[in-house]
Structures are given as C-alpha cells and as structure tokens.
Amino acid sequence: MTAGIEHSTDVLIIGSGAAGLTLALKLANKCQVMVLAKGPLAEGSTYYAQGGIAAVFDEDDTIESHVEDTLIAGAGLCDRKAVEFTASEGRRALEWLIRKGVDFDEEEHDGHSRYHLTREGGHSHRRILHAADATGKEVQLTLEQQASQHANITLMERYNAVDLITTDKLGLAGDNKVVGAYVWNRSAEHVETIRAKFVVLATGGASKVYQYTSNPDVASGDGIAMAWRAGCRVANMEFNQFHPTCLYHTEARNFLLTEALRGEGAHLKRPDGTRFMPDFDEREELAPRDVVARAIDFEMKRLGADCMYLDISHKPAEFVTKHFPTIYQRCLGLGIDITKQPIPVVPAAHYTCGGVMTDLDGKTDLNGLYAVGEVAYTGLHGANRMASNSLLECLVFARSASRSIFNQLDDAKWIDDIPHWDESQVTDSDEHVVIAHNWHELRLFMWDYVGIVRTDKRLQRALRRVEMLKGEIHDYYSDFKISNDLLELRNLVQIAELIIRCAMMRKESRGLHYTLDYPEQLENPTPSVLSPSQSN
C-alpha cells in the first residue's frame, strides 16, 4: 500500500446512525464502504429516538398535508423543494426499512392489520410509524445487523475523525476535492489515514455544546466543524431545538420523554397541578416544540421552580404501559410510577436544525464530500424541526446521496500522495484540567447566553468568551497529543462560534431563535449563511 495510507475504501462514511448505515447498505452492492463510529456502533442519537418516523400511510392523509405541516412548523424558513422532496419520498424510504426487517407497531382495523400511526406536535394527521416508544433502537439494531453481514461494509468502532484531507491541503492542482480523512484510533491511541474516493459526513448534531442536552455524548458537532475547516458553508446554526420534556432527575440527565406522550393525551402542569399550555397556545400540549419549550422555561423562571410536570396518569395504566414501556420502566426504576404520578421535566438541547449546506443529493460545497442527516442543512427544517421528520430525513437523503455517488463512481480516483499524520512535535499533556475547565465553561455560557431566550448583550458576551477559548484550545491542540476530549472540545468551540455568529445575524425572533431585543418577525426572512472564505 502507498506510504502514509493505512486504509483505502471507495466511500468513507463518518457516523454509524440511521443516515450512515442506510447509505452504507444502499452503496455496498456496488462498492467498498467503510463506516466509522466514534464509540460503539449504536451510541448515537438514532438509538435513543423514541417517537417514530413521519410518512403518509393513512388513506385520509396526503403528501400535501405533510408538506404544509412541515412548512408551518418551520416558521417560514423551510425550503419548499426540500420539504416536498422529503415528504414525497417518505413512504418509499419507510417501505425499504420494513423490507430490511424493521418491525413497526400494528393494530387491527375492520378485521385487517395495519400500521399503528400516532400523532405528534405540529402534525394535522396521525402519520408517525413507531416501534412502541423505542423506534430508534429498532431501526438502529436492524440496520446494524444488516451492515455487519455485508461483505463490502467494514465497520470500525472507536474511531474519531480528526480532519478531512483535501487536495488544497496537499498542495495539489485543480479544483479542491476531499480525498480522505485522518482518524484517531481510540483503542490504539494513534492517528491513522484513510483514503477514499468519496467521504460522507453522517455525524449527527451538536447539542453537546449545551450544558443540558437529551443527546448522547457523541453529539459534539464533529462533522460540521470538519466541513467548516475544509471550506464548506454552514447555515441556520442559530436554530437549536430544545426538546420541551427531558426527565428532571440526577440519575437520568439525558433521558428524553417522547412527544408521543403529549400526542396520546399527557398534560403539562405546574407544581401545584394546574395546566399551563392553554394559556400559551390554542393547540395546548400539541403546539410545536419551540412554543412548548418557551412556555416551560417561562413558567420555571416565573415561579422559580426547578421543573414542570408531565402527567399521563389520567389514562388507563394498561394503555400507558403498552404504548410507553421504555419510559414506564425507566421512570419506575427511579421511583416514579407514571401510571399514578406526574413526571418532572425540563427543556434540554435536542436537535441542530442548521448544519453543513447541501443540495437534494447531500452534496456539499467540497467536491466528493456529502453530508446526510442532522449534520446537514437541507432546508427541510427551517426555523424549527417538526417532530419525527429527523429520521425521515436520514433515510430520504441517504437514498438520494447513494444515487449521486453511483453516478460518479466509475470516474472517481484515489490520491496516493497522502502523508502520515505528524506527531513528532507534540508531547503528552500533564494538564488535563485545562480541557475539563474549558469544556465546562463553554457549555455553561452557551446555556446561559445562547439558550432558549437570547439578547444582543448575551450573544456579545458569549462571542468574547468563545474567541478567548478558541485561542487557548488552538495552542493546546498544537502542543499536545490528541485525546477524545480534546478533539471534541476543539470541534465544540468552533460550533459555538458558528451558533453565536448566526444568532447575531438574525434580527428577529423566529422559530427556535427567540431574542428579547427583536421580538417581532421580519417580513421576508432568509437563511443565516456563513462562509469560511468570508471569515478568514
């Protein structure tokens, strides 16, 4: 093998959730695919997704209705073409999953079996296919099983992508193109080189930039940060979805309580047992997530309360345990019987609506580089993601990206002249406390200054802090050997800056971005786009 290269593959997919594994399975019959997972394969947001996947299966529902619901939830910032494309491809994407073995819940109707469809906030119809309250787990494990059995798919666990390798970085002539990636083998603790004809980012979102998040620890914005450093534009990074109902308990800081609870009749209540959503929106508990999250945040601050409460105990116990077995068992283990008592909840950072700009094939600004899933900005979500459109986006855009890659595969070539990663000038760090301190400071000021409610002053304070941290982390990264925490911190501080700068660009309150200085909406809103070429 050419010096400097430890691995070669046709397509390198960074990320092993629904987007990454779907794309791998779509591609693997015609080419070699390598899939990188930062930790265990299943340790991503897909596995923990509870609610389900939206698509039009009900005969009374229409694609047009799904489109309009999504556009409304997106608060005037969705790209209609992206929404129409996703909704129209939805059923085919779900039918492919079903053929792969995903077992969605069914029900008897007029003597026949059909899929049980639930309804969530923002949807005008029941169109959510689900596997009880553990849909993501069912999807993830099914796709993993399929991928692990395919001869052309190599699954690599405990590998962190460090940076993309491009022809510009190598000093090669011609249009800039991605040719591989440097990756950190967490088990062996050294950097390896992977060359590839195409690279796909399927790394998920960036909610770990906040102190309170429903996401697993791997959600540190790696793909967005790497794409930005490689020259790709990002958009709408100010739109961070805060899930309204994360379990408030010291032993379960990341446990999300699916929106389907409210879809099936759960009420949000103050500590005194009174409901408050009717005071905020005529849709009550089924209002879009941004409305519900702000209402909970408002009531907590108004009352000085640590949390609000989600109550489904008025429903029959058998109904609750059948539809929400995972939540029932998890809460019961913490001493909360949801069939008899309300659940303490707080909002938590949940979903990154912005990301790396792509077209409808998942193509980014960089030749050969694709982005699929939460890492990408396709225009589907606008200023607010509608419930259960996220896994749908993963499936639909993995499908379209595979078609685009197939069309170019015969003409694609590897680059041989890729140098080894140079660690000759760095040493082991004896100051891990620096990383820990900066990590905590970053996530805390992002929560306080760039959270559910923002102001110009808060954003300016956050930007000053993040610029100082960027300098410290850059020096640390240059001087010391790589670690998992250092790689994630380097990416998160870049993500924080992008979120803040996008938020400063938006002089209005819209969707998930709410600022006290500009409470009204502009008449003709546009996406907030940042370009590395304009920042240098």
Side-chain angles (χ1 to χ4, degrees):
M1 187 172 287
T2 305
I5 298 169
E6 281 91 359
H7 311 278
S8 291
T9 186
D10 293 316
V11 183
L12 170 62
I13 299 174
I14 304 173
S16 59
L21 291 178
T22 297
L23 182 56
L25 288 166
K26 290 281 187 183
L27 292 170
N29 288 336
K30 295 186 180 180
C31 62
Q32 295 290 326
V33 183
M34 188 172 286
V35 179
L36 257 60
K38 192 192 292 188
L41 280 177
E43 189 55 25
S45 292
T46 294
Y47 183 87
Y48 296 100
Q50 296 173 357
I53 310 175
V56 175
F57 275 74
D58 192 321
E59 58 186 21
D60 294 328
D61 195 6
T62 64
I63 290 171
E64 290 74 20
S65 177
H66 190 181
V67 168
E68 289 307 312
D69 290 347
T70 301
L71 292 173
I72 291 167
L77 266 187
C78 296
D79 182 308
R80 179 177 278 273
K81 285 185 179 178
V83 176
E84 291 174 345
F85 173 71
T86 306
S88 63
E89 292 285 320
R91 181 161 183 158
R92 279 189 288 270
L94 269 291
E95 288 171 340
W96 177 85
L97 262 191
I98 293 164
R99 290 196 298 274
K100 289 296 178 186
V102 172
D103 189 16
F104 292 112
D105 284 5
E106 298 183 11
E107 64 179 358
E108 289 297 319
H109 180 72
D110 291 338
H112 299 283
S113 181
R114 67 178 185 183
Y115 289 110
H116 177 266
L117 303 173
T118 190
R119 182 181 170 194
E120 297 180 352
H123 291 274
S124 59
H125 292 79
R126 285 181 172 265
R127 64 168 68 100
I128 316 300
L129 275 75
H130 63 101
D133 60 349
T135 307
K137 181 178 179 180
E138 171 70 15
V139 170
Q140 179 71 32
L141 296 183
T142 302
L143 293 178
E144 269 186 36
Q145 181 184 34
Q146 293 278 330
S148 65
Q149 295 171 352
H150 203 296
N152 286 348
I153 298 176
T154 303
L155 302 173
M156 299 174 67
E157 295 182 302
R158 293 183 58 78
Y159 274 83
N160 283 51
V162 178
D163 259 325
L164 300 171
I165 305 169
T166 66
T167 51
D168 272 8
K169 290 180 182 178
L170 298 177
L172 301 177
D175 293 338
N176 194 24
K177 183 182 187 306
V178 69
V179 295
Y182 290 116
V183 301
W184 190 60
N185 182 329
R186 294 177 63 177
S187 300
E189 296 193 350
H190 67 82
V191 177
E192 299 174 8
T193 307
I194 301 176
R195 69 171 179 174
K197 297 173 182 176
F198 300 92
V199 177
V200 182
L201 300 172
T203 52
S207 288
K208 199 176 175 181
V209 75
Y210 288 102
Q211 185 177 22
Y212 302 109
T213 174
S214 66
N215 285 191
D217 282 343
V218 295
S220 51
D222 303 336
I224 300 171
M226 285 190 294
W228 174 261
R229 290 194 292 267
C232 295
R233 291 172 299 160
V234 301
N236 280 11
M237 290 297 293
E238 73 271 34
F239 295 116
N240 302 277
Q241 187 174 73
F242 290 84
H243 197 286
T245 54
C246 204
L247 178 62
Y248 179 70
H249 196 283
T250 54
E251 296 178 29
R253 62 186 180 87
N254 284 12
F255 191 69
L256 181 147
L257 297 162
T258 174
E259 191 156 347
L261 279 162
R262 286 178 282 129
E264 297 295 345
H267 294 150
L268 281 162
K269 296 181 177 180
R270 302 179 180 94
D272 66 2
T274 59
R275 291 177 64 191
F276 58 87
M277 280 311 301
D279 299 338
F280 288 88
D281 195 284
E282 62 184 12
R283 291 164 289 188
E284 301 177 347
E285 278 80 6
L286 287 178
R289 288 177 177 175
D290 59 318
V291 176
V292 180
R294 277 202 303 275
I296 294 173
D297 184 64
F298 179 87
E299 287 296 307
M300 285 172 59
K301 288 174 177 172
R302 184 178 71 85
L303 297 172
D306 291 329
C307 62
M308 292 290 114
Y309 292 87
L310 185 64
D311 191 359
I312 199 169
S313 63
H314 53 280
K315 291 283 188 177
E318 183 182 352
F319 174 88
V320 175
T321 55
K322 177 186 176 182
H323 286 282
F324 306 106
T326 307
I327 294 171
Y328 174 73
Q329 291 295 338
R330 183 73 169 108
C331 290
L332 199 63
L334 298 169
I336 305 166
D337 185 345
I338 69 172
T339 67
K340 299 177 180 178
Q341 62 195 113
I343 313 164
V345 296
V346 291
H350 180 60
Y351 193 87
T352 306
C353 286
V356 183
M357 294 186 72
T358 75
D359 64 12
L360 295 184
D361 289 329
K363 285 184 182 179
T364 72
D365 294 332
L366 179 61
N367 290 329
L369 181 68
Y370 289 73
V372 181
E374 191 176 351
V375 67
Y377 165 77
T378 62
L380 172 62
H381 304 307
N384 184 21
R385 177 181 71 91
M386 190 167 69
S388 291
N389 271 353
S390 53
L391 288 176
L392 177 65
E393 181 183 37
C394 292
L395 302 171
V396 167
F397 283 85
R399 179 187 174 104
S400 62
S402 69
R403 291 194 293 259
S404 175
I405 290 171
F406 280 150
N407 290 337
Q408 304 170 71
L409 202 55
D410 291 342
D411 298 325
K413 301 288 190 296
W414 281 304
I415 296 292
D416 290 334
D417 303 325
I418 300 178
H420 274 300
W421 181 263
D422 183 8
E423 289 188 304
S424 62
Q425 304 300 312
V426 296
T427 60
D428 288 315
S429 169
D430 60 356
E431 287 290 341
H432 293 294
V433 68
V434 174
I435 294 179
H437 176 82
N438 287 351
W439 186 281
H440 177 72
E441 181 184 353
L442 174 68
R443 298 179 76 199
L444 184 61
F445 75 64
M446 285 298 289
W447 184 263
D448 288 342
Y449 298 153
V450 201
I452 294 173
V453 178
R454 302 159 181 178
T455 67
D456 281 352
K457 190 170 288 186
R458 291 177 191 173
L459 294 176
Q460 289 160 4
R461 285 174 179 159
L463 186 60
R464 287 195 296 271
R465 297 282 187 90
V466 85
E467 287 174 339
M468 180 184 69
L469 277 181
K470 269 188 76 177
E472 286 186 16
I473 294 164
H474 179 269
D475 292 344
Y476 198 97
Y477 179 80
S478 301
D479 294 339
F480 298 114
K481 288 184 178 178
I482 282 172
S483 70
N484 182 64
D485 284 350
L486 177 57
L487 287 174
E488 290 190 340
L489 180 60
R490 177 185 180 228
N491 289 333
L492 281 174
V493 76
Q494 181 62 73
I495 293 298
E497 182 186 22
L498 297 176
I499 291 172
I500 295 163
R501 291 194 182 279
C502 279
M504 294 177 86
M505 290 172 67
R506 187 158 297 282
K507 306 299 184 185
E508 63 168 348
S509 288
R510 182 176 297 276
L512 303 167
H513 173 78
Y514 187 82
T515 170
L516 295 176
D517 293 310
Y518 307 98
E520 303 301 321
Q521 292 189 349
L522 297 176
E523 285 189 16
N524 298 300
T526 56
S528 305
V529 178
L530 296 176
S531 171
S533 62
Q534 296 171 340
S535 301
N536 296 330

